[in-house]
Amino acid sequence: MKTFAYAAIFAAISGALAAPAPTKSNVVRKRAACSSAVQLSGNVFKNKKLHANIYYRSEIEAAVQQMSDASLASAAAKVADVGSFLWIDTIERIGILDDAIAEVPCDDVLGLVIYDLPGRDCAAKASNGELAYTELSRYKSEYIDPIVAKLKANPNTAFALVIEPDSLPNLVTNADLTTCQNSATPYKEGVAYALKNLNLPNVVMYIDAGHGGWLGWNDNLKPGASMLASVYKAAGSPKQVQGVVSNVAGWNAWQLSPGEFENDEDGQWNKCHDEKRYVQYFAPELKSAGMPNHFIVDTGRNAVQGLREEWGDWCNVNGAGFGVRPTSNTGDSLTDAFVWVKPGGESDGTSDTSATRYDSYCGKPDAFKPSPEAGTWNQAYFEMLVKNAKPAF
Ligand code: BGC
């Protein structure tokens, strides 16, 4: 994934003379972390800014180089300064952490997505991962343990972690699929292991809770909360878990009335027609199930509504725009922050019907085509997100 940025950075570091002159972000700037150990509690986003990480920055800088329209290029360049989460989606990518961490000033919090469960993406094909569902022990020893070591080695830096997008929600709603049945134990044990071992003073964690159109259905609210809470408890109720994250790589509005799918025939069976209402209805369920119930919400690509044919359409939605920038100013006491989790411009999945990871959702009429493999850069899609951004850049 994103090998371009990765390779460029290492070329710059190794000082290869033949390498092209490094762009600004290819040089890792050593910045001062905090002068003493960070102790996080409560809403970290109130006092610290989500870090605009070097990897997304280098993707944006490369994208801007390709643009001939000067006004679009200058708008696009501003995206590099927006804080976003860095996805550690393979064991190999743990290697980028040292450079990413070295760059984080004390005022910022580095957002990381923990995303490499055995049998990953059990209900779809686009993001199937590197570990088979039988490889829980590798997940623990080759993925989680080395990440834990890096975060422990940097006690003066603050980290916010999004824990395993889609995993537990899939166990609630896709339990009929053989792939998700196979993944059930490794997901639960893997997430519990991650929560338990990443429970460090300089870390705050949010467990993925899907979105309003997923666990927000009346029949899913309680089973969803009980699934998340049972894994949280299996981890020993770690105190650095602050709650959940919703709308990761998603498209739902924060607040929209009526919601995009509210007047559908089955709309009456769901009260959570925007993410704000999802917080309102899911947070009390989390609380009664016995787990912390603060939210962060991904607003990275939700500027334009009315694009999806169906609520469940998740792949490279055509016509989308960058949404509200990361802020702790949410107007909702249970919502700690709006954040950008999915790095806009990176694909959700390939539209190449012959690819192993082709998922039919990426071929639907409302999906942007052509699109490359999940996680790889799609220049045309990025330009569309910039053009349709609200607020505009
Ligand atoms: C992909 C990951 C990628 C992430 C962020 C996911 O859909 O599977 O490989 O890192 O999106 O773009």
Side-chain angles (χ1 to χ4, degrees), residues 43 46 60 75 96 120 131 312 361:
N43 181 2
K46 274 226 170 317
I60 303 304
I96 70 180
R120 194 177 74 192
L131 298 178
Y361 275 88

Side-chain angles (χ1 to χ4, degrees), residues 44-75:
V44 63
F45 298 99
K46 274 226 170 317
N47 304 313
K48 291 189 187 285
K49 220 171 79 203
L50 181 61
H51 186 59
N53 69 70
I54 192 176
Y55 294 93
Y56 192 49
R57 181 180 291 280
S58 64
E59 286 181 317
I60 303 304
E61 287 173 357
V64 168
Q65 299 282 311
Q66 293 182 47
M67 294 182 180
S68 47
D69 175 335
S71 78
L72 185 63
S74 91

Side-chain angles (χ1 to χ4, degrees), residues 132-155:
Y133 73 88
T134 48
E135 293 184 298
L136 179 61
S137 65
R138 286 191 66 200
Y139 177 74
K140 293 179 177 176
S141 64
E142 294 176 43
Y143 181 72
I144 295 297
D145 292 354
I147 296 175
V148 170
K150 298 231 184 264
L151 307 197
K152 272 191 180 159
N154 290 279

